[in-house]
Amino acid sequence: MEMGNMTSITEILLLGFVYDPALEIVLFLVFLLVYIVTVLGNALIILLITIDSRLHSPMYFFLSNLSFIEIFMTTCVVPKMLANFLTKRKTISLGGCFAQSYFYFFMGSTEFILFAAMSFDRYMAICYPLRYPTLMTGTVCVKMVIGSWICGFLFVFLSTVLKVRLPYCGPNVINHYFCDSAPLLHLACTDISLIELIDFVSSLILLLGSLSFTATSYVYIISTILKIPSAQGRKKAFATCASHFTVVSMGYGISIFVYVRPSQTDIMSMNKALAIFSGILTPLLNPFIFSLRNEQMKEALRDVLKGIASENKRWLIS
């Protein structure tokens, strides 16, 4: 399609990581293992929360939604990356590139709003324990989760619509392993300063806004915990927040550094490395963080494993 003297591009070349076929096979196997463990680990959390009545509480309801987001966000990126490791022509259609970018950042935006909702849940549980069951009802929790998804959708919708309407005339090369927002935008052959500003402002509002809410919640939480007279009580209260606080710290720290900048092209190689950590490794670590540091999750997992072992034993005997 001709646009004056410019030809519109129809596909994007993703440079990925390396150009050595032997090393690409190694990376394929590594990331395939990471992807399988990520999906199975987060799916296991969803399964345990669904079948174990001890985990039917607001905290675990939010956690199951977080695990679903982690599976979805990883699936937006990793399967295409794995396919590119095995092919010489590492391309994706322009429409597919926009779709991948949109759903990845849709999930990411929803995740940060959900972090704020989870911190509010912990604030209510620790600061208002007697009123907590009546305030954080199932209906309230469902509305908070739905609100998180709607806000995540809206945060990236306007920017994506504006980007899709731009002319893209080449070069068609992105120095990344997926269609990240900034390198995709810089393929446009027109002025992009307004959209860059919109991306910067929306990232600023999303990340710093949800971080401020989360940080304020934890200030109140910590001050309340420190007032608990018994050391055992303080330890138990801290334990209910430790996993969430660890995940939040990793997510916000990396994302603020990568995305809350007016221009994101100056250190693209570093952004690529950090995106691996935030988009691939963090979803891998989350199931371990939440299961290994949570007694109720460990008890639920032990009960499931005991049930499976018992069924296997009964089957072998029969």
Side-chain angles (χ1 to χ4, degrees):
M1 181 174 61
E2 296 295 327
M3 305 173 72
N5 293 326
M6 299 179 296
T7 303
S8 176
I9 61 176
T10 58
E11 63 180 15
I12 305 294
L13 175 64
L14 299 172
L15 294 183
F17 300 103
V18 295
Y19 307 98
D20 184 345
L23 187 54
E24 284 190 326
I25 294 299
V26 174
L27 290 175
F28 170 82
L29 295 174
V30 169
F31 282 108
L32 176 62
L33 178 62
V34 168
Y35 179 63
I36 291 172
V37 174
T38 298
V39 172
L40 292 180
N42 283 287
L44 178 60
I45 285 180
I46 296 172
L47 177 64
L48 291 176
I49 292 172
T50 302
I51 65 176
D52 196 309
S53 59
R54 292 170 297 182
L55 304 180
H56 292 174
S57 66
M59 181 175 76
Y60 295 106
F61 174 68
F62 290 126
L63 177 57
S64 65
N65 278 271
L66 178 63
S67 292
F68 177 79
I69 289 172
E70 301 286 30
I71 293 173
F72 200 144
M73 186 164 64
T74 307
T75 302
C76 287
V77 173
V78 177
K80 180 59 179 175
M81 181 178 69
L82 293 174
N84 284 345
F85 281 136
L86 301 179
T87 59
K88 291 184 178 180
R89 189 170 176 78
K90 308 177 191 304
T91 59
I92 182 172
S93 68
L94 184 62
C97 201
F98 277 118
Q100 184 188 65
S101 179
Y102 176 77
F103 283 108
Y104 178 83
F105 288 103
F106 171 29
M107 292 299 104
S109 299
T110 304
E111 182 176 62
F112 284 114
I113 299 169
L114 189 61
F115 282 159
M118 294 173 75
S119 67
F120 179 75
D121 170 67
R122 292 298 82 208
Y123 163 75
M124 296 299 296
I126 291 174
C127 298
Y128 299 97
L130 298 180
R131 299 173 59 191
Y132 177 72
T134 58
L135 293 174
M136 294 297 293
T137 62
T139 302
V140 170
C141 294
V142 169
K143 288 180 178 179
M144 290 174 68
V145 168
I146 292 175
S148 298
W149 283 85
I150 292 174
C151 290
F153 172 83
L154 294 176
F155 260 110
V156 294
F157 180 74
L158 174 61
S159 176
T160 301
V161 170
L162 293 175
K163 291 172 186 175
V164 170
R165 295 169 64 88
L166 294 176
Y168 293 86
C169 50
N172 67 332
V173 179
I174 290 180
N175 181 20
H176 217 304
Y177 65 88
F178 82 107
C179 296
D180 198 359
S181 177
L184 175 59
L185 178 59
H186 281 80
L187 300 185
C189 45
T190 187
D191 181 34
I192 59 172
S193 56
L194 176 60
I195 300 181
E196 277 195 313
L197 179 61
I198 292 173
D199 279 348
F200 170 68
V201 172
S202 60
S203 298
L204 191 70
I205 294 172
L206 172 67
L207 292 172
L208 298 187
S210 58
L211 175 59
S212 298
F213 186 90
T214 301
T216 301
S217 297
Y218 270 100
V219 168
Y220 283 105
I221 288 170
I222 293 171
S223 64
T224 300
I225 291 175
L226 293 177
K227 295 175 184 177
I228 298 175
S230 68
Q232 186 64 27
R234 290 194 297 271
K235 182 179 179 181
K236 184 178 180 181
F238 271 121
T240 64
C241 305
S243 300
H244 177 249
F245 185 77
T246 302
V247 172
V248 165
S249 299
M250 291 191 301
Y252 279 114
I254 296 171
S255 296
I256 288 175
F257 179 80
V258 174
Y259 295 110
V260 185
R261 295 200 312 273
S263 178
Q264 299 167 23
T265 58
D266 47 349
I267 48 174
M268 194 61 67
S269 296
M270 183 180 295
N271 285 3
K272 190 193 304 187
L274 291 172
I276 295 173
F277 193 88
S278 64
I280 298 177
L281 295 184
T282 299
L284 169 69
L285 296 174
N286 283 356
F288 297 98
I289 293 171
F290 281 107
S291 60
L292 295 178
R293 302 188 65 171
N294 187 296
E295 287 300 324
Q296 286 182 302
M297 289 292 294
K298 287 191 284 188
E299 288 175 8
L301 180 58
R302 280 195 293 265
D303 288 347
V304 169
L305 294 177
K306 286 179 182 178
I308 294 174
S310 177
E311 286 296 324
N312 289 337
K313 185 176 181 181
R314 188 181 300 114
W315 181 78
L316 289 173
I317 293 175
S318 62

